[in-house]
Amino acid sequence: MHGTGTDDAAGGTTARPKRSGHGFLRYLVQRLLVTVGLLLGTTVIGFSLVQLAPGDPVAANLSDAALGNPAIVAAFEEKWGLDEPLPVQYVTYLGNLVQGDLGTSQRTGRPVLTELLDYVPATMEIAVPTLLISLVISIGLGLLSAIRNGGAADQTVRVFSLVGLSTPPFWLAILALYLFFFVLGVSPSGGRLSPQFSPPEPVTGLYTVDALLQGDVLLAWDAAQHAMLPILVLTLVTVATLTRFVRSALLEVLRKDYMLAARAKGLSSRVVLTKHLLRAGLLPILTIAGLTFASLLAGTVLVESIFSWPGLGSYAYESATALDRSAILGASLFIAAVYLGVNLVVDLLYGLADPRVRLT
C-alpha cells in the first residue's frame, strides 16, 4: 500500500499530524488560565510588598494638623479599610477586582481604572511609534552588520550599539531637551500640548489621532511636536538594544548549513536575505520586540518625568511616593497584564511566522 496517509502495520506508513483548530483552541484556553493564575499571583505579591514598604499611608496622605486629630485618622483608616486585618483587606480587594473595580486612589479620590485609562494612552502615544521606528532601523542595521560581519560597517554598528546601551536614558533625555529646546528652540519644553491648546475630544486617548479625527490639523501637529523628543530619546535607546540582538540572531542563522546550500544553488542575494535569512531570524526578533514593547509601556518613568509626560510611568512613580496602595496595585496589575498579554500574542505569532511551530 502506498500513500494512504493512515497508520497501517502492513504498509508501514505513518499519518502526518494535521493542524487542528481544536488543538489551537485548547492551547489558547490553557494559556488564558495560566495568565489568570499569574495575575492572581501578582496581586498577592503586590499586596504583600505594599504592606512591607516603609512608610505610613496615613501620614503620606494627611496633613500634620490632621494627623494630630485621632478622629480624622480613625475616619481615614475606616474609609480605606486600613483598620481591617490584612487577610480581610486582601479578600476585599480581590472581590472588588473580580467586579472590575481596581479601587479608589487615596491621593486623588478618583477610581484607579479611570486614571489608568487617562495615563495609559499617553504612554501608548510614544511607545507605539518608538517600537515601530526602532524595529525598522534595528532590523536594517542588524542585517547590515550581520552580512558585513567583521567589516567597517559591522564595527560601526557595534560601536553605536555599545554607546547606546551605555548611555543612561535620563541623561540622554536631559541632553536632548537642552539641545533642542534651550539651544535650538525647535522643540517644546514638555507636556502633551502647548498652553493655548485644549485636549481633543477623547476617542482613543491619543491626542494626535483624536485631533485628526476631529479635523484639527494644528492641534494634531502641536501634539506630534510634543511627542517627538520623548520618541527620539526612547528610539535611540531601543535601537541600540534591538540592533545588538538582531545582529546576533541573524549571524546565528547565517552559520546554518541551509544558508550555504541556498547560496550554492545560485539563488539571488535578495531571495537569500528575505526568504531564508530574515524569515529564519524572525522568531527571536518577535520575542525581543514583544518584550521591548512591554518594557516601553512599563519602564519609561524617568523619560516621562523629564519631559513632563503624563504617562503610566509618571503615574506609578507619583503613586509610589504617596504610598497610594490602590494606585500602586492597579499599575502593577496592568504592567503584569501587559507582559503576559504580549507574551501570549508573540507565541501566537510564532505559528504564523513559522509553519513548523504547532500551538498545541
Side-chain angles (χ1 to χ4, degrees), residues 20-347:
S20 170
H22 295 292
F24 172 78
L25 182 60
R26 182 169 61 251
Y27 170 82
L28 184 59
V29 171
Q30 290 174 349
R31 285 298 305 268
L32 290 176
L33 291 176
V34 171
T35 299
V36 172
L38 291 173
L39 287 176
L40 180 62
T42 300
T43 63
V44 175
I45 296 174
F47 190 86
S48 302
L49 291 177
V50 168
Q51 305 303 324
L52 295 174
D56 182 5
V58 178
N61 289 275
L62 293 181
S63 64
D64 293 337
L67 288 173
N69 190 325
I72 296 179
V73 173
F76 181 87
E77 292 179 342
E78 181 180 1
K79 176 181 179 180
W80 299 107
L82 300 178
D83 56 341
E84 299 285 349
L86 292 182
V88 175
Q89 293 184 35
Y90 176 73
V91 171
T92 301
Y93 171 76
L94 204 59
N96 294 333
L97 184 62
V98 172
Q99 302 176 37
D101 182 7
L102 296 180
T104 303
S105 170
Q106 300 169 3
R107 179 170 54 93
T108 64
R110 300 174 63 205
V112 173
L113 181 59
T114 301
E115 293 192 327
L116 286 176
L117 293 177
D118 289 340
Y119 282 87
V120 169
T123 298
M124 292 285 289
E125 193 161 21
I126 58 176
V128 173
T130 295
L131 180 65
L132 296 178
I133 296 172
S134 299
L135 280 175
V136 172
I137 296 175
S138 60
I139 290 176
L141 292 179
L143 180 61
L144 174 65
S145 181
I147 62 179
R148 299 284 189 243
N149 185 27
D154 179 37
Q155 297 298 332
T156 302
V157 171
R158 293 175 67 181
V159 169
F160 165 77
S161 297
L162 182 61
V163 171
L165 290 171
S166 305
T167 304
F170 71 89
W171 183 85
L172 193 59
I174 294 174
L175 181 63
L177 187 63
Y178 174 77
L179 176 62
F180 291 100
F181 174 69
F182 288 101
V183 177
L184 301 178
V186 297
S187 173
S189 60
R192 296 186 72 184
L193 287 176
S194 299
Q196 65 268 26
F197 290 100
S198 299
E201 291 294 326
V203 178
T204 65
L206 310 176
Y207 281 6
T208 49
V209 176
D210 291 345
L212 290 175
L213 289 177
Q214 71 180 35
D216 194 334
V217 178
L218 290 178
L219 178 60
W221 173 240
D222 185 77
Q225 284 182 304
H226 282 76
M228 283 180 184
L229 270 190
I231 291 174
L232 173 64
V233 172
L234 293 175
T235 297
L236 290 175
V237 177
T238 305
V239 165
T241 303
L242 289 179
T243 299
R244 192 179 185 90
F245 189 90
V246 170
R247 176 184 180 274
S248 299
L250 296 183
L251 277 177
E252 184 177 351
V253 175
L254 283 172
R255 298 188 181 103
K256 301 294 184 181
D257 291 338
Y258 64 83
M259 291 297 298
L260 298 176
R263 290 196 180 97
K265 289 179 180 179
L267 297 178
S268 65
S269 299
R270 182 183 61 83
V271 173
V272 172
L273 291 179
T274 57
K275 292 190 175 182
H276 294 277
L277 179 58
L278 287 179
R279 187 171 183 178
L282 185 58
L283 293 186
I285 294 174
L286 278 176
T287 301
I288 191 64
L291 294 176
T292 299
F293 179 64
S295 177
L296 286 171
L297 289 179
T300 59
V301 54
L302 292 178
V303 174
E304 289 181 356
S305 298
I306 292 171
F307 290 109
S308 301
W309 193 265
L312 181 62
S314 298
Y315 178 71
Y317 171 76
E318 293 169 1
S319 301
T321 55
L323 292 178
D324 190 341
R325 301 193 310 166
S326 296
I328 294 172
L329 290 173
S332 301
L333 189 63
F334 175 81
I335 292 171
V338 167
Y339 272 97
L340 294 173
V342 166
N343 283 332
L344 177 58
V345 171
V346 168
D347 286 347

